[in-house]
């Protein structure tokens, strides 16, 4: 008899869903994952799956296909990778704003505010 999987691997990507690919599929009526392999790639975007126990399905959607993992407890979690160091940024403040506005024209920018009644000139 086929031993059900305790958990699947990652979702199967479309590029990996080729004939012969090992997969895991969840059966909600028995609340278990089962191993199989892609038996066919259908024109409608579904896949034929042949299960280890001899059963077959003709139209399994991609979102139901997962990479298989062996039965057993999940692996011990490893610490997440360290975050990369932050990129160097220029200091913020008015000098940085003024430099950014030089391409637009600081005087033209300030004049637009003056027209609206906001006096930016000191």
């Amino acid at each position: 008899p086929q031993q059900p999987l305790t958990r699947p691997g990652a979702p199967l990507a479309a590029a990996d869903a080729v004939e012969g690919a090992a997969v895991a599929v969840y059966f909600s009526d028995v609340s278990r994952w089962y191993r199989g392999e892609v038996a066919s790639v259908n024109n409608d975007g579904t896949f034929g799956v042949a299960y280890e126990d001899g059963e077959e399905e003709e139209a399994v959607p991609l979102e139901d296909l997962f990479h298989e993992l062996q039965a057993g407890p999940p692996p011990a979690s490893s610490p997440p990778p360290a975050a990369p160091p932050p990129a160097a940024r220029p200091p913020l403040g008015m000098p940085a704003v003024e430099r950014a506005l030089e391409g637009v024209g600081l005087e033209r920018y300030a004049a637009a505010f003056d027209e609206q009644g906001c006096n930016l000139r000191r």
Side-chain angles (χ1 to χ4, degrees):
Q2 179 182 7
Q3 181 178 358
L5 294 169
T6 56
R7 61 194 162 73
L12 200 68
D16 296 330
V18 296
E19 288 185 23
V23 295
V25 179
Y26 188 72
F27 281 78
S28 58
D29 57 335
V30 292
S31 301
R32 292 195 175 153
W33 292 92
Y34 286 94
R35 290 182 197 92
E37 75 174 37
V38 175
S40 63
V41 178
N42 303 323
N43 291 334
D44 64 357
T46 63
F47 301 86
V49 176
Y51 297 97
E52 287 183 336
D53 63 2
E55 294 292 321
E56 293 185 19
E57 278 189 278
E58 293 181 7
V60 179
L62 179 63
E63 59 267 14
D64 289 353
L65 300 179
F66 290 77
H67 289 280
E68 72 167 336
L69 287 182
Q70 299 303 314
S77 60
S78 55
R89 290 185 174 174
L92 298 177
M94 290 310 292
V97 171
E98 288 177 10
R99 281 192 304 278
L101 291 173
E102 284 174 359
V104 175
L106 187 56
E107 288 302 314
R108 207 168 102 205
Y109 183 76
F113 275 90
D114 288 345
E115 288 174 15
Q116 298 297 317
C118 302
N119 186 0
L120 294 180
R121 302 167 204 250
R122 294 185 184 195

